[in-house]
Structures are given as structure tokens and as C-alpha cells.
Amino acid sequence: MNFERICVLGGSGFVGMALVSELASRGLFVRVLTRRREHAKALVLLPTVEVIETDVHDERELARQFMGCDAVINLVGILHDSVKGRVDRPEARRGDFHRTHVELPRKVIGACAQAGVSRLLHMSALGADPTSRSAYQRSKGIAEALVREAGLVASPEPGTLNGAKLTARRGMKVTVFRPSVIFGPGDRFLNLFAWLLRQLPIIPLASPQAQFQPVYVNDVARAFADSLGNPESFGKIYDLCGPKVYTLLELMQFLAHTLGLNRKLVPLSDRLSYWNAWLLELKPGAKIMTRDNYYAMQTPNVCEGNNPFPSGWKPAALEAVAPAWLQSASQRGRYESFRHQAHR
């Protein structure tokens, strides 16, 4: 099955840039929908990429942009529910998790139906759970349910919920990806902690035993691209992880060693971790940590083998690729990191 014209939402983001580049390298035509064209200016140079500035929250506009496409990929996501003090970010307000992670996927599914697009790839996250105490994980879990439901066909039957019953017959060809934390140049995880290590001689570390299984951004992009036309992936959920599990403390120690920094890391108790997250949540500007992050870290962010990716996908180890760009961080690199944290 050939999928040659792809529409990507979130293509100007960290994962999106890697994925669009991967798709373009395979000769596919990619339409990138973005709120601001300037955020995707690096993609404009790719010969098979079309960047369109539009409102992705307008379902009618989505349907119009999806026309003529063979597949849609939704990568849109946020890490925090509000960003105080950001008057230039009108979308940064309470309720953004629901708007971005639930309402947008619902609109994407509806727009796909209107435009006749039957293939949908959706970015979720490890820990996604509609019952989670974390609003982030809860919204991701609800979205997963919506996308999985789109892969089924409703047939009216008396006595069923709202007069409809979900059957096993295929509707849309959907695939859901649930990555652990994603690392790479420009990420919001390792680069944030590397910045903290450069700035502070002593670092209080909340939830030091929280577990992660970091996966390289190029491997995530390859997983999406490989699944696009693979019938084996239709209706599947894939957990994406690197080869090794780390605690947060171990990740910080790895970063300090890689950067050649001698820093004192002070692991905090569970109670102190909560209060530390609450204090950081009150800090104006870009968030380092919030109470919702604290709740999310209570669940190990690791792959348990329940939804493995097909054989042949071998993700790179953190130690194999991260030092090259971490160690080469120059003053220019740090400046770009600051700009990234400021969402500029």
C-alpha cells in the first residue's frame, strides 16, 4: 500500500523536524501545517515539503488541507498546561492539555473522515492513562481511546450505548506511538538538565529514582516512517524506548560526566520532591518542573514489552549519540538552547 502524500501536524516541532526530513529523504510529498511559518523555515528548503501557516484547531480548515493526502500524522503536544507570564503565547492557558491532546485529535479524526483520508498516525506517550492523576497522562490516554475508536466501525444496534456498538471491522487505519522521553539536539529534556548543570554547583533533584528509557529522536522518526505503509502496523500501539533504563539521578550523573562538570546532586525525598515541584511551578517563564510532572514521574516511563515495535527497529543507545552534541555545545549552542526554552 502506497502513501505518498502526507500531511503532518506539529511538523515544526522537535520530533516533527526529524520526521519531515526523514519522509522527504524517502521521496514523499509532505504538507506541514503550522501556526507560524517561520517556525518551519528550515523545512521550506526541502524540495518535497510544503509548509502552510494555518489554524490546526479549525476542523473545516483541517479537512481542506487534508484533501488529496494519503495519510495524516499528528505530532502536536505540550508538556505543561499553562505558561504564566507568556503574553505572546495566547494558547498558553489552563485547559490546554484537553484542547491540545483531546479536542485536536477529535477534530483531526473528523477532518480525515471529511477529506477521505483513511490512514492516521498519532503521537501519544508512555504512561498515557485516562485515570492517571497527571493531567498530561490523562489527556494522552483519552486521546488514545479516541484514535483507537477511529479504527473501528460503528453499526447501530438497539440497546447499545447511544444506539451504536463498536465492532471489530476496520475503519481508519490507525497506528499509535508511545515513546519514552525523546532526546536529541534541541530536546527539552537532556538540554534542560545540561543547562542546569552548567548554571548551578548544587542541584536539588526531585524524584531522583523516577525511571526513564530515553529514545533518540531520529529513531522515533524512523519508526513513524517505517510504519506508514506497513499493513502490520494498522490498528497497533507501539511503545518506543531506547535500549537502557535510567533513573533521573543516573541521567544527571551521566550528563555531568559527559560535560566534564563536578556538581553536587542532592536527591530529595518524595515529600520534598512534591514541594520542590510546586515551587518551580510558581516560577514565571519556561517551566523546569510542575506538580503534574511530579505525578507523571510516579509511573515508570519505561517499555515493558507489551507493545514492542516490529523486529528490525534497533534504537541507538544514549551513550552512543548524545556525547557528540552535548560536548560540542559552544556559546552559540547555549544561546540556541536559551532561545528554545523561551519558545522563540
Side-chain angles (χ1 to χ4, degrees):
M1 190 170 296
N2 294 323
F3 296 95
E4 299 179 349
R5 299 178 66 85
I6 320 301
C7 189
V8 179
L9 287 75
S12 61
F14 169 55
V15 177
M17 298 286 272
L19 175 55
V20 172
S21 297
E22 176 68 23
L23 294 174
S25 72
R26 301 186 184 200
L28 303 180
F29 173 83
V30 186
R31 177 176 295 164
V32 177
L33 305 186
T34 180
R35 183 169 59 91
R36 292 184 181 176
R37 183 180 171 86
E38 65 182 52
H39 291 172
K41 58 186 178 182
L43 298 176
V44 176
L45 300 176
L46 300 176
T48 61
V49 174
E50 176 187 23
V51 177
I52 297 177
E53 186 173 295
T54 188
D55 179 8
V56 298
H57 292 277
D58 184 333
E59 185 173 334
R60 287 178 297 180
E61 178 64 13
L62 285 179
R64 190 173 76 86
Q65 297 297 343
F66 291 174
M67 293 295 293
C69 292
D70 304 314
V72 169
I73 301 177
N74 180 24
L75 302 174
V76 179
I78 56 174
L79 297 176
H80 302 297
D81 202 28
S82 68
V83 182
K84 299 179 182 178
R86 296 288 299 174
V87 295
D88 60 319
R89 296 273 315 283
E91 77 281 12
R93 58 181 180 269
R94 294 289 178 186
D96 273 0
F97 279 151
H98 184 80
R99 180 173 182 259
T100 304
H101 297 161
V102 179
E103 289 305 321
L104 179 57
R106 194 193 309 274
K107 292 173 182 176
V108 167
I109 292 168
C112 283
Q114 294 177 51
V117 179
S118 63
R119 182 72 171 117
L120 173 62
L121 279 65
H122 176 77
M123 173 72 88
S124 185
L126 279 181
D129 180 356
T131 66
S132 174
R133 192 174 183 184
S134 161
Y136 172 83
Q137 292 179 333
R138 192 163 60 246
S139 63
K140 284 289 191 178
I142 295 171
E144 271 193 20
L146 289 172
V147 173
R148 293 177 68 185
E149 184 176 304
L152 303 172
V153 175
S155 59
E157 285 191 10
T160 58
L161 182 62
N162 296 326
K165 177 183 177 182
L166 292 175
T167 73
R169 290 181 291 128
R170 290 294 180 190
M172 293 185 66
K173 301 175 181 66
V174 301
T175 306
V176 174
F177 298 87
R178 310 173 81 211
S180 183
V181 293
I182 304 173
F183 71 91
D187 69 43
R188 298 186 185 182
F189 187 68
L190 290 188
N191 281 297
L192 172 60
F193 289 123
W195 178 80
L196 287 173
L197 286 166
R198 292 189 187 101
Q199 303 304 309
L200 304 174
I202 301 176
I203 300 177
L205 193 60
S207 302
Q209 296 307 312
Q211 293 183 313
F212 302 93
Q213 200 166 348
V215 59
Y216 187 37
V217 64
N218 287 357
D219 291 327
V220 173
R222 185 162 51 86
F224 271 81
D226 287 350
S227 296
L228 190 59
N230 182 3
E232 181 186 346
S233 72
F234 298 170
K236 296 287 183 64
I237 295 178
Y238 292 124
D239 293 348
L240 303 180
C241 291
K244 184 177 177 181
V245 175
Y246 305 81
T247 65
L248 183 56
L249 178 59
E250 290 170 339
L251 279 174
M252 292 294 283
Q253 291 170 336
F254 163 76
L255 283 172
H257 175 75
T258 300
L259 296 171
L261 299 172
N262 183 17
R263 297 291 187 258
K264 183 173 180 60
L265 304 175
V266 182
L268 300 180
S269 66
D270 186 64
R271 176 169 294 186
L272 286 177
S273 294
Y274 173 85
W275 289 113
N276 181 73
W278 181 72
L279 288 172
L280 290 173
E281 185 178 320
L282 297 176
K283 175 182 174 294
K287 300 301 178 185
I288 296 175
M289 187 177 183
T290 67
R291 284 173 292 176
D292 199 74
N293 299 144
Y294 164 82
Y295 294 138
M297 287 195 292
Q298 305 309 300
T299 302
N301 201 256
V302 302
C303 292
E304 298 178 346
N306 298 326
N307 304 295
F309 200 73
S311 58
W313 185 76
K314 296 180 179 179
L318 176 67
E319 294 87 350
V321 294
W325 48 268
L326 285 171
Q327 292 173 341
S328 64
S330 59
Q331 187 63 37
R332 171 65 180 172
R334 289 193 288 273
Y335 172 68
E336 291 296 335
S337 178
F338 297 149
R339 291 190 63 205
H340 182 78
Q341 290 300 319
H343 304 284
R344 294 174 184 266

